[in-house]
Amino acid sequence: MRVCGLHKSFGPQAVLMGVDLEIPSGSFTAILGPSGSGKTTLLRVLAGLERADRGTVAIGSTVVDDDREHVPAERRRLGYVSQEGSLFPHLTVEANVGFGLPRGERRGGRVGELLETVGLSGLARRYPHELSGGQQQRVAVARALAVRPQAVLLDEPFASLDAQLRASVRSDVRDILLAAGTTAVLVTHDQDEALSIADFVAVIRNGRIAQFAEPAELYARPVDADLARFVGAANLLEGRQEGGVVETPLGPAAAGGASGPVTVLVRPEQLEIARLDPAGSDAGRVAGRVVSTSYHGHDCLVYVRPEGAAGDLTGAVVARTLGDPHLAEGSAVTLRINGPVLTWAPASGPAPAPAAEAAEEPA
Amino acid sequence: MSRVPGAALVTGRFHRRSRPRVLLATSCLVAAALLTPLAFLLIEAHGAGTGAVVRLIFRSLTASLLWNTVRLTIVVTALCAVIGTLAAWCVECTDLPLRRMWAVLVVVPFAIPDFVVSFGWASLTTWIQGFRGAVVVMTLAVYPLVYLPVAASLRSADPGQEEVARSLGAGRLKTFFRVTIGQARGAILGGCLLVSLVILAEYGAFEIVGYQTFTTEIFTEFDSFNVQAAAALSLVLVVLGVIVLVGDGWARGNTRVARSGALAQRARKTHRLGRAKAGVLLGFLLLVGLALGVPVGSSIYWMLEGGAHAFAGVSLLDAAGDTAAYSASAAAVATLMALPVSLLVTRHPTRFGRLLERSTFLVLAMPGIVIAFALSYFSLRYGGGSFYQTAPLLIAAYAIMFFPLALVGVRASVAYAPVALEEAGRSLGQRRLAVLRRVTLPLVGPGLMAAFCLVFLATATELTATLILIPDNVQTLATQFWAYQTALSYGQAAPFALVMIGIAAVPSYVLGRFFDRRPSQRAVAR
């Protein structure tokens, strides 16, 4: 699926302002953006439910939307799953799943298979209102898959589920889609969801694609500071680049790029935290005091206010530890940046990190 | 397109679509057709000259008519609100025994024409006269107008809110008044609006109990060819109608019924009546007895009293056939007219669309006689009289008069089929026509049927406009009944009353079923 220079506005309000995006066939791509960023509109244009003002949309080699032509939703063979699921309330689960099939196939084989795939075989005769939210979403996915679509478009399908259910339905749906080998496009505002479920993430911001990358790439090498903060916790420090090393208030770190002042991205897990050693063997480490901790079971975020030389830093920095670090508020600790970091020269893109390959650019 | 307040937060969720030109155009046409009577009034009043109109309006007669009309409207509306809401709550939300039966019986009085209720009571006792008589008769005849919407809204309301209220420490009564009634507030007000407007337009019932309102006076003036005086009084009546409309809009304010957690749909918990059960049952028995039993019983009594010679079988059959044909045609036309307006209002919410919708409700504030005369006037002046007293003109008059009823049903049904479902259907590879057949119609169909029945019921028992527009050699049940009733031939009038009740009872049973249907069908209505 390929989108070029897409524009769309509703009345005076411009929503999409030149979206370029290529979604690899067979991949699971997430479109990530805050609410109001235009991600749902983009999905609806893809689905053929809205027509673009300018730009082209192509599926495979077929142009489905440009200045001259608009292929309607029903001829695009794209399964669309909305946030509410939009099950037909007057039809049973079975009839919902079979809705898009030719008359002869609506009962039996294919429908039963799909219901089995989504684990709802026993509920074929139920009506939508007799299902839980997660079940409704799985029926919606089965219904979309029934017509063997070229791709499945998911519009925040998990947003209305509670956290625990969301995680399990999310991975169920991913497995179902993987097994079907279908291209999938998921719209979400939840970065955690996007990073964990997708092969590629397209971040949409102010009506444009800000970055398209694999989740790890996006997290490690966001194109700017705003994006870095949007896809996860980030310490953004002012530093000075000199050769292969950047000098930061938290000490030196390896980084590539031209010499001069830079902004430095240090992810919490790149910040190594240790108790202050009374013996004083803390050479090269920055001292600080724990401000607060936020414990999550599998990991812990420790907020530290640096002291001494780095004391001119405004606010606390955050470090991540595995498990419980047993650090009380006010504990004296030392910090050190671990590994190469990403830097941006002021008002320009990221400098290449020393150990990283060239960034994979979307076509 | 102006933006409605609720759409101020335009995010990805709210999608404004392209301007619906066809819908807008047809809706405007419909509104124009509906407002012809008003145009007639204004032209007529203008022809009379301002001075003459002012003189006609500021008479002592106007003041007494105003007093009569306003006090009756207020008292009956209040009574209907209480009776209709309580009955709906008991049927929908409690463990009332035989609730399915009550759900039907309570609606049936709607099928009985107001003037038959009036006839039933007034022919039995002289106590039913004047103001007192008008209050009793009208309350019993029109409370279903509150019951029906309230019952529907209680059924689709979010049960979670009641539970939350209880958990916040509100007692049963407090929960009932602040949450349950709050949820149904829009429906109650909507019902009250209809009741008020019906009372403003009623003629036959008041004529029988000898109570003078604007509408009866207008009929008298028209009858004596005093068209200008009638037009002037009609203007005042329209102003009253507008006041009711504005008051309704003001009372609704910005209340919105939001439903959260759309995915999990649960059924409402029924309240136990406990010791009150016997009392409530007695109340229902009394209500149905007074509203249904008395008119029916009285008609049967008079028919038996009249003996066999009074029974004109052939004319009864003819009249019943004609009535059914007129009513079915009018119901079809009105339902079709309501479709574009409903679609415009629910799918493309704009201030203009809402104004358009509201303007059509003005029709209810106009007595049938004004609409009838407006159409006669137009056909005589611009059609060379070729349509005067023909079936098409009569059907057009019915369709205009009862358009607001059709709109209520059609709007509700259109809301059952949100655009999202049609989009889901299309994304599954179904063409628009197939989506219409397989998604939209099954969801909307029952509501359209209900709208059709509402109009059918109202038309089958319409008297005032029919008296004026009926083709020469034809009689409907209502006009034949009226002729006998006026001549005090109660024995001959009674069979017509009974057949009218019968013709209307079938649709009202269908109506009851519609409002009682499976929750799955309104699961997504929001």
Side-chain angles (χ1 to χ4, degrees), chain A residues 10 13 40-41 44 49-50 72-75 78 80 83-84 86-90 99-100 103 106 127 129 136 143-144 147 155-156 160-161, chain B residues 3 10-13 15-17 263 265 420-421 423-432 437-439 442-443 518-521 523-524 526:
Chain A
F10 294 106
Q13 195 182 4
T40 294
T41 303
R44 289 172 59 85
L49 297 170
E50 303 278 354
E74 59 268 29
R75 286 201 278 123
L78 295 173
Y80 179 73
Q83 180 168 357
E84 306 84 17
S86 294
L87 296 183
F88 303 120
H90 61 300
F99 184 87
R103 200 177 295 272
R106 280 180 206 158
Y127 281 90
H129 73 278
Q136 290 189 19
R143 183 177 68 176
V147 294
D155 184 6
E156 304 213 28
S160 46
L161 307 179
Chain B
R3 192 178 293 174
V10 177
T11 64
R13 201 66 51 230
H15 288 276
R16 216 132 7 110
R17 288 133 58 90
L263 276 177
Q265 293 145 3
L421 290 183
E423 288 175 352
R426 285 177 56 210
S427 77
L428 291 167
Q430 301 294 306
R431 282 159 193 274
R432 278 168 197 275
R437 183 172 58 77
R438 296 180 57 198
V439 178
L443 289 170
R518 272 203 316 264
S520 67
Q521 311 230 339
V524 288
R526 277 194 285 156

Side-chain angles (χ1 to χ4, degrees), chain B residues 49 68 72 96 133 152 164 257 325 361 378 383 393 454 473 504:
Chain B
N68 272 0
L72 184 71
L96 179 73
V164 168
V257 179
F361 272 88
F378 273 96
L393 200 66
L454 275 173
N473 46 0

Side-chain angles (χ1 to χ4, degrees), chain B residues 64-418:
Chain B
S64 84
L65 289 176
L66 196 64
W67 167 238
N68 272 0
T69 308
V70 169
R71 70 178 167 147
L72 184 71
T73 307
I74 290 173
V75 171
V76 175
T77 305
L79 283 172
C80 286
V82 173
I83 294 174
T85 307
L86 279 179
W89 184 77
C90 288
V91 168
E92 291 307 327
C93 307
T94 69
D95 59 347
L96 179 73
L98 303 174
R99 45 180 296 270
R100 296 195 70 111
M101 183 193 81
W102 293 121
V104 174
L105 284 184
V106 165
V107 182
V108 171
F110 184 53
I112 306 178
D114 307 346
F115 56 84
V116 170
V117 178
S118 198
F119 160 78
W121 280 93
S123 63
L124 288 184
T125 164
T126 50
W127 190 79
I128 296 293
Q129 278 295 322
F131 178 67
R132 185 172 55 203
V135 167
V136 171
V137 164
M138 287 313 286
T139 304
L140 292 175
V142 298
Y143 76 86
L145 284 175
V146 176
Y147 172 89
L148 284 171
V150 173
S153 103
L154 283 180
R155 225 170 293 128
S156 60
D158 181 2
Q161 294 186 11
E162 267 184 22
E163 293 164 7
V164 168
R166 296 296 296 274
S167 78
L168 291 174
R172 268 191 183 216
L173 270 182
K174 197 172 176 187
T175 304
F176 175 77
F177 280 110
R178 295 209 20 212
V179 180
T180 317
I181 297 294
Q183 285 175 324
R185 191 170 152 208
I188 296 172
L189 286 170
C192 287
L193 174 74
L194 288 176
V195 169
S196 308
L197 294 177
V198 163
I199 291 167
L200 290 181
E202 177 61 35
Y203 161 70
F206 300 150
E207 192 68 32
I208 291 175
V209 297
Y211 188 72
Q212 202 181 22
T213 68
F214 270 108
T215 305
T216 61
E217 181 57 23
I218 290 165
F219 196 100
T220 312
E221 302 275 7
F222 264 132
D223 223 22
S224 46
F225 301 102
N226 200 347
V227 177
Q228 284 175 0
L233 290 177
S234 297
L235 275 179
V236 181
L237 193 52
V238 172
V239 170
L240 279 183
V242 172
I243 290 172
V244 171
L245 282 176
V246 171
D248 174 67
W250 174 79
R252 279 171 203 248
N254 285 322
T255 49
R256 289 231 162 65
V257 179
R259 199 192 159 108
S260 49
L263 276 177
Q265 293 145 3
R266 283 172 304 143
R268 176 179 283 269
K269 208 177 97 217
T270 53
H271 296 268
R272 286 176 194 286
L273 283 173
R275 270 171 298 170
K277 196 175 275 180
V280 172
L281 268 178
L282 200 69
F284 269 86
L285 214 59
L286 195 69
L287 180 64
V288 170
L290 294 181
L292 186 63
V294 170
V296 173
S298 159
S299 299
I300 292 174
Y301 166 78
W302 285 115
M303 192 173 78
L304 298 177
E305 189 79 346
H309 70 276
F311 192 77
V314 179
S315 79
L316 191 64
L317 262 179
D318 281 352
D322 286 337
T323 305
Y326 287 147
S327 303
S329 318
V333 172
T335 307
L336 280 180
M337 281 167 77
L339 252 181
V341 179
S342 309
L343 285 171
L344 187 74
V345 173
T346 47
R347 299 209 166 167
H348 309 273
T350 63
R351 204 165 289 162
F352 178 73
R354 284 220 302 248
L355 199 71
L356 202 78
E357 189 205 15
R358 279 260 128 159
S359 74
T360 64
F361 272 88
L362 270 178
V363 171
L364 268 188
M366 294 195 229
I369 190 171
V370 174
I371 291 166
F373 264 107
L375 294 187
S376 326
Y377 173 84
F378 273 96
S379 80
L380 286 171
R381 178 158 292 191
Y382 301 107
S386 52
F387 285 106
Y388 184 60
Q389 290 193 339
T390 60
L393 200 66
L394 182 56
I395 289 165
Y398 286 149
I400 292 175
M401 282 175 72
F402 298 121
F403 173 86
L405 282 183
L407 190 64
V408 170
V410 174
R411 254 202 81 167
S413 71
V414 167
Y416 288 143

Side-chain angles (χ1 to χ4, degrees), chain A residues 2-358:
Chain A
R2 204 173 57 244
V3 170
C4 270
L6 203 64
H7 284 76
K8 177 76 189 171
S9 43
F10 294 106
Q13 195 182 4
V15 180
L16 299 179
M17 292 169 282
V19 172
D20 295 299
L21 179 64
E22 183 167 338
I23 292 160
S25 175
S27 73
F28 197 122
T29 300
I31 297 173
L32 174 66
S35 61
S37 59
K39 55 191 191 302
T40 294
T41 303
L42 174 57
L43 198 73
R44 289 172 59 85
V45 171
L46 286 179
L49 297 170
E50 303 278 354
R51 180 160 190 180
D53 296 339
R54 255 190 301 146
T56 57
V57 179
I59 302 171
S61 54
T62 325
V63 174
V64 292
D65 193 352
D66 63 7
D67 295 341
R68 277 158 297 155
E69 207 179 355
H70 177 74
V71 177
E74 59 268 29
R75 286 201 278 123
R76 290 197 183 182
R77 289 192 48 226
L78 295 173
Y80 179 73
V81 180
S82 69
Q83 180 168 357
E84 306 84 17
S86 294
L87 296 183
F88 303 120
H90 61 300
L91 299 178
T92 59
V93 165
E94 198 173 38
N96 260 290
V97 174
F99 184 87
L101 297 174
R103 200 177 295 272
E105 296 174 38
R106 280 180 206 158
R107 292 186 161 271
R110 177 98 180 117
V111 174
E113 240 170 67
L114 279 159
L115 282 178
E116 205 163 308
T117 319
V118 298
L120 295 173
S121 306
L123 305 180
R125 296 291 160 84
R126 298 267 186 99
Y127 281 90
H129 73 278
E130 299 169 304
L131 303 182
S132 71
Q135 289 169 333
Q136 290 189 19
Q137 283 302 355
R138 280 186 279 169
V139 174
V141 170
R143 183 177 68 176
L145 283 174
V147 294
R148 298 179 208 280
Q150 306 186 62
V152 174
L153 310 177
L154 304 143
D155 184 6
E156 304 213 28
F158 315 119
S160 46
L161 307 179
D162 63 68
Q164 218 167 12
L165 190 60
R166 193 185 310 162
S168 72
V169 173
R170 188 197 285 164
S171 69
D172 285 354
V173 166
R174 182 182 161 77
D175 292 345
I176 293 164
L177 292 174
L178 269 183
T182 317
T183 308
V185 182
L186 168 85
V187 154
T188 178
H189 65 268
D190 179 344
Q191 49 90 12
D192 205 32
E193 182 165 291
L195 295 181
S196 64
I197 198 174
D199 303 326
F200 299 97
V201 180
V203 183
I204 188 166
R205 189 172 56 189
N206 302 326
R208 286 194 190 83
I209 300 293
Q211 189 167 7
F212 178 91
E214 291 175 29
E217 169 76 12
L218 178 69
Y219 186 74
R221 303 184 42 71
V223 290
D224 57 36
D226 276 345
L227 209 63
R229 269 193 295 256
F230 182 58
V231 294
N235 297 304
L236 295 164
L237 310 171
E238 294 307 315
R240 203 171 169 82
Q241 180 87 38
E242 206 70 71
V245 175
V246 61
E247 204 54 54
T248 79
L250 299 180
S259 299
V262 289
T263 305
V264 184
L265 167 65
V266 181
R267 292 289 185 196
E269 52 278 12
Q270 288 178 301
L271 211 50
E272 195 185 287
I273 189 167
R275 267 174 212 283
L276 184 70
D277 182 359
S281 64
D282 298 323
R285 298 178 74 101
V286 175
R289 276 189 191 279
V290 173
V291 181
S292 65
T293 59
S294 149
Y295 181 61
H296 299 281
H298 42 70
D299 68 348
C300 182
L301 288 176
V302 185
Y303 294 85
V304 178
R305 182 180 296 282
E307 290 173 335
D312 55 334
L313 260 180
T314 52
V317 295
V318 56
R320 195 191 304 274
T321 65
L322 278 176
D324 189 353
H326 300 288
L327 286 170
E329 209 172 293
S331 302
V333 292
T334 59
L335 296 168
R336 191 170 75 94
I337 298 174
N338 204 354
V341 294
L342 182 71
T343 62
W344 301 284
S348 80
E357 317 88 328

